[in-house]
Amino acid sequence: MCGAFHQFAMGLREFIKDYFLGFWDYETPKVMVVKNKTLGVIYRAVQFLVITYFIWYVFISQKAYQESETRPESSVYTVMKGSAVHGDQILDTVEYARPSEGGDVISTILRREVTYDQMQGTCAEYFHVANANCTTDSDCVQGEVDFDGHGRRTGRCVQYYNHTFKTCEIQTWCPIEEYAVEREPALVEAINFTVFIRNSIHFPKFKVLRGNIKDASNKRNLHKYLTRCHYDEEKEPYCPNFRLGYIAERARENFSELCRTGGVIGVFINWKCNLDLDPSHCKPTYSFRRLDVRKDQASSGYYYRFAKYYSKDGIESRTLIKAYGIRLDVIVHGHAGKFSPIPTIISTVTAMTSVGICTIICDWIMLTFIDKNEIYSDRKFDEVIQEPKVPISTELSYINSYGSNHSDLSEGVPL
């Protein structure tokens, strides 16, 4: 046991000694020219791919020579415009836009389900609510509140309006929505409504402020332009007026289906600015996409409820409105770049360093797959323990099979 421990300790001592002495060794690459056409083609091909990657993708496409800013300051102001005839009523923005003047979110009503003349009182619970159906008063617990239902139970079992079956009586706004609701036709004229979107963006690092509205010589000309124009990607890229029909079309949505179920559409404003050019070339681009999940029918679409309250002879009543519509979420992305020497130097050094991967790949091929790889290995790796007495020539040498310095050992050596 003692002998084994002594042997282990001596081995560990030698390992530590060799590691410590080897730590102070200096390594320098040795230049060796191998005249092998196949290896040369591989070397130049890898070089070409690396250089092409850095020139085309890194410098031209990604503009790695620029200093960039990706979190600009932005503001959004939206207004819905348009009017429609709905039966005998004329609807304007106050009736269908929520809010009438919005920020980065605005919605418009496309279809309504209305319950008129609701008043506080007692009435039958909706029969689809859990445990709402009953035959006697003992089936209804007084004071119980079902949060999926409409109100507080009185403990009585009553006839469900003009039907033959019974449900538990509740204290709530009566009559309940599911029984008395009136479904109005869709507001198909809303396809021509327009939403005005004003966006300004500021890149504080470069002190550049841009807006998505076309500059005009005076306010009168600007106002005239804004009242007549509609956004077009090619003809009117600076017009901030968007038709709802155009937005639905670009989002690949059917407007009639949106009128039925409602939906949430994202309006993406993308600013990608190359500030090496004049800031006037910094223009926004727009894209549109449906945001709510359509696969889940229970949670898809967009609707909300609100009420209009009235008071007559001290009795309060209300009209409950369930509104289906389009909600527009305006989302702004910004990226600006400008030439800077620091990222240019970093990217250039990275590119030059990455070219070294070509040598690593070709060395691995040469030492692994080429015939006579042991000869290459012996010639490539030398260990100099002490200075030789005879001076060694520092000229670049070629490997040959006879030991001289001026012919090629690798001629005719296949991969």
Side-chain angles (χ1 to χ4, degrees):
M1 179 66 71
C2 293
F5 177 78
H6 178 73
Q7 186 177 2
F8 171 77
M10 293 298 295
L12 180 62
R13 177 184 175 185
E14 290 296 325
F15 172 78
I16 295 175
K17 179 180 178 182
D18 293 341
Y19 177 82
F20 179 77
L21 294 177
F23 179 78
W24 304 105
D25 291 343
Y26 170 69
E27 296 179 358
T28 182
K30 178 181 179 181
V31 178
M32 184 174 68
V33 177
V34 179
K35 290 186 175 181
N36 185 295
K37 290 183 179 180
T38 304
L39 192 62
V41 169
I42 295 174
Y43 178 67
R44 296 305 178 189
V46 175
Q47 267 190 336
F48 175 77
L49 292 176
V50 172
I51 294 173
T52 302
Y53 167 79
F54 275 94
I55 292 177
W56 176 77
Y57 180 76
V58 176
F59 285 94
I60 297 178
S61 178
Q62 298 298 314
K63 293 181 173 58
Y65 57 87
Q66 290 183 334
E67 183 181 10
S68 62
E69 183 174 10
T70 57
R71 301 188 66 180
E73 301 165 352
S74 174
S75 68
V76 176
Y77 171 77
T78 55
V79 178
M80 192 73 68
K81 298 179 181 180
S83 59
V85 178
H86 190 69
D88 297 332
Q89 295 180 328
I90 304 297
L91 302 180
D92 57 12
T93 56
V94 177
E95 292 290 329
Y96 61 76
R98 294 289 186 277
S100 56
E101 294 182 358
D104 55 0
V105 176
I106 192 170
S107 66
T108 181
I109 298 173
L110 301 178
R111 185 174 67 86
R112 302 191 305 179
E113 296 181 356
V114 185
T115 306
Y116 295 98
D117 300 325
Q118 284 187 320
M119 294 184 291
Q120 286 283 347
T122 58
C123 53
E125 175 64 285
Y126 186 46
F127 60 87
H128 278 175
V129 176
N131 301 321
N133 294 276
C134 62
T135 55
T136 63
D137 291 348
S138 60
D139 295 330
C140 304
V141 180
Q142 184 178 3
E144 184 181 45
V145 177
D146 191 324
F147 291 100
D148 292 327
H150 295 82
R152 181 175 57 189
R153 297 183 180 180
T154 64
R156 297 178 57 208
C157 183
V158 298
Q159 183 179 346
Y160 185 77
Y161 301 99
N162 57 352
H163 293 73
T164 57
F165 59 89
K166 294 182 178 181
T167 61
C168 292
E169 185 183 58
I170 56 172
Q171 180 183 1
T172 186
W173 287 95
C174 296
I176 61 173
E177 179 185 19
E178 286 80 359
Y179 170 74
V181 65
E182 295 182 14
R183 293 174 173 83
E184 297 180 351
L187 195 65
V188 293
E189 295 176 350
I191 195 172
N192 293 317
F193 289 173
T194 60
V195 56
F196 171 83
I197 302 176
R198 185 177 68 196
N199 173 228
S200 60
I201 192 167
H202 178 222
F203 296 98
K205 181 183 290 187
F206 305 115
K207 299 180 180 179
V208 173
L209 177 65
R210 297 293 297 163
N212 67 328
I213 299 178
K214 183 179 181 180
D215 296 331
S217 57
N218 56 61
K219 291 185 178 180
R220 179 177 297 181
N221 292 341
L222 178 61
H223 178 73
K224 186 181 297 185
Y225 170 75
L226 293 178
T227 54
R228 296 180 179 178
C229 75
H230 288 90
Y231 175 80
D232 185 89
E233 187 174 359
E234 296 180 358
K235 299 178 181 179
E236 297 288 352
Y238 272 108
C239 179
N241 296 319
F242 299 84
R243 289 178 56 254
L244 290 185
Y246 175 82
I247 293 175
E249 179 185 352
R250 293 297 299 273
R252 298 181 180 180
E253 294 296 326
N254 185 290
F255 195 83
S256 299
E257 183 67 16
L258 288 174
C259 289
R260 188 181 69 85
T261 63
V264 181
I265 295 180
V267 180
F268 297 89
I269 306 178
N270 303 291
W271 295 85
K272 192 170 184 180
C273 302
N274 182 4
L275 298 181
D276 291 332
L277 306 175
D278 189 87
S280 61
H281 291 86
C282 181
K283 300 178 181 180
T285 58
Y286 300 87
S287 58
F288 308 88
R289 180 166 56 87
R290 181 81 176 264
L291 297 181
D292 56 303
V293 180
R294 285 169 290 177
K295 294 182 180 180
D296 186 0
Q297 295 297 325
S299 61
S300 64
Y302 175 71
Y303 64 88
Y304 59 93
R305 290 178 173 87
F306 64 96
K308 296 180 179 180
Y309 293 88
Y310 309 93
S311 181
K312 184 178 181 180
D313 299 330
I315 300 176
E316 186 181 35
S317 63
R318 75 177 187 180
T319 296
L320 178 64
I321 301 172
K322 183 179 181 181
Y324 291 83
I326 293 179
R327 193 184 82 180
L328 302 177
D329 291 4
V330 183
I331 303 170
V332 181
H333 297 294
H335 179 278
K338 193 174 185 178
F339 173 79
S340 177
I342 295 177
T344 302
I345 294 173
I346 293 174
S347 300
T348 303
V349 172
T350 303
M352 296 175 65
T353 305
S354 299
V355 175
I357 194 174
C358 308
T359 304
I360 296 175
I361 293 174
C362 291
D363 281 351
W364 175 70
I365 294 174
M366 179 182 68
L367 299 175
T368 306
F369 298 104
I370 295 181
D371 292 344
K372 301 182 181 179
N373 53 8
E374 293 183 359
I375 298 177
Y376 291 137
S377 179
D378 292 341
R379 293 299 185 96
K380 183 172 178 60
F381 302 105
D382 289 339
E383 182 178 359
V384 180
I385 301 176
Q386 61 182 2
E387 291 189 9
K389 297 180 180 180
V390 180
I392 297 177
S393 174
T394 58
E395 295 180 356
L396 184 66
S397 62
Y398 295 86
I399 304 175
N400 64 83
S401 57
Y402 304 104
S404 71
N405 294 330
H406 302 288
S407 62
D408 181 21
L409 180 61
S410 58
E411 288 181 352
V413 178
L415 282 173

